[in-house]
């Protein structure tokens, strides 16, 4: 129910269907409870987001692309697995950049993952998502790590300044020892 309000607030759209617990939903088309399939996009022409069960999502995909039911099911499953890999990459990057553990709270996880999921669903066309889904696991992860929605990984700080001993000649060129010249200014 909370996710539904978040969708309505972000999209400024009415939501048909309902997201239930444990990856299940109440489908907007068949009105049955089942495995979560997908959500449709809200557009200015149709400001309604529909939550579809897996079977209705596959049927919709089959009709829209004029492909067999089996091919549509395969395409949908591969696309959903790619989305799951994206979420894993986001969580790995979160740990790398913050040094924190992944939160146990679903709302906190949702806030971390949401920008990436929105990029996946709204920033890419269906054909771009399918092209990514056809890639190997490693290529998918590489593509996700290069995506603009992930913060860059932390780079180690490297001191490039030359090591100057206290008794070495000062690098400023005064001819004095470093300890008598610029060491005091640096401190």
């Amino acid at each position: 129910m909370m996710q539904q309000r978040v969708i309505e607030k972000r999209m400024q759209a009415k939501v048909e269907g309902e997201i239930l617990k444990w990856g299940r939903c109440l489908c907007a088309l068949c009105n049955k409870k089942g495995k979560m399939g997908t959500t449709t996009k809200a557009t200015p022409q149709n400001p309604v987001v529909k939550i579809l069960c897996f079977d209705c999502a596959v049927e919709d995909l089959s009709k829209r692309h004029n492909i067999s039911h089996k091919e549509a099911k395969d395409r949908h499953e591969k696309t959903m697995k790619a989305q799951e890999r994206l979420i894993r990459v986001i969580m790995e990057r979160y740990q790398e950049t913050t040094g924190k553990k992944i939160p146990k709270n679903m709302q906190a996880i949702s806030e971390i993952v949401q920008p990436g999921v929105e990029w996946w669903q709204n920033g890419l066309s269906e054909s771009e998502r399918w092209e990514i889904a056809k890639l190997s696991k490693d290529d998918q992860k590489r593509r996700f790590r290069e995506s603009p929605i992930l913060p860059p990984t932390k780079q180690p700080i490297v001191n490039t300044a030359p090591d100057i001993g206290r008794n070495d000649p000062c690098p400023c060129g005064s001819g004095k020892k470093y300890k008598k010249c610029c060491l005091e200014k640096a401190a």
Side-chain angles (χ1 to χ4, degrees):
M1 207 51 187
M2 182 191 78
Q3 286 176 323
Q4 194 166 339
R5 279 187 249 127
V6 169
I7 293 171
E8 286 175 352
K9 184 177 177 186
R10 284 209 175 123
M11 305 290 274
Q12 298 297 314
K14 183 181 177 217
V15 176
E16 291 181 5
E18 187 176 340
I19 297 173
L20 305 173
K21 293 180 180 179
W22 312 114
R24 298 182 58 78
C25 72
L26 179 61
C27 182
L29 297 181
C30 66
N31 291 319
K32 294 180 183 175
K33 291 181 181 179
K35 179 181 172 185
M36 178 72 181
T38 191
T39 57
T40 61
K41 291 182 183 177
T43 61
Q45 298 84 10
N46 184 16
V48 177
V49 174
K50 292 184 179 180
I51 297 168
L52 305 179
C53 68
F54 181 80
D55 293 332
C56 290
V58 169
E59 188 64 35
D60 179 58
L61 187 64
S62 175
K63 285 179 185 174
R64 280 188 292 122
H65 294 284
N66 199 18
I67 55 179
S68 70
H69 187 77
K70 183 179 179 182
E71 190 178 343
K73 183 178 178 182
D74 181 54
R75 183 181 282 200
H76 184 69
E77 286 175 345
K78 283 184 178 181
T79 306
M80 295 307 290
K81 285 183 180 179
Q83 182 176 334
E84 290 170 10
R85 281 189 196 95
L86 169 65
I87 291 170
R88 280 192 218 110
V89 168
I90 292 169
M91 297 310 289
E92 288 169 7
R93 183 65 59 87
Y94 171 80
Q95 285 183 305
E96 289 172 8
T97 57
T98 63
K100 298 178 182 176
K101 290 183 178 180
I102 297 171
K104 302 281 187 221
N105 180 339
M106 274 307 286
Q107 187 166 357
I109 291 172
S110 177
E111 289 171 8
I112 295 166
V113 171
Q114 193 62 38
V117 173
E118 284 183 8
W119 168 77
W120 175 256
Q121 292 174 344
N122 302 323
L124 298 174
S125 68
E126 193 169 1
S127 60
E128 289 173 317
R129 287 194 301 266
W130 175 235
E131 288 301 316
I132 293 172
K134 290 192 295 187
L135 297 172
S136 69
K137 290 179 187 181
D138 293 334
D139 289 341
Q140 284 179 10
K141 287 181 179 182
R142 192 175 308 109
R143 175 87 187 262
F144 292 144
R145 287 188 181 108
E146 295 168 356
S147 72
I149 53 101
L150 293 178
T153 56
K154 285 185 178 178
Q155 298 297 323
I157 299 170
V158 178
N159 183 2
T160 57
D163 268 349
I164 305 169
R166 291 172 43 87
N167 291 319
D168 291 341
C170 190
C172 74
S174 66
K176 297 180 183 180
K177 287 187 176 183
Y178 180 63
K179 69 181 176 184
K180 297 282 186 178
C181 187
C182 291
L183 179 63
E184 294 169 359
K185 294 175 191 171

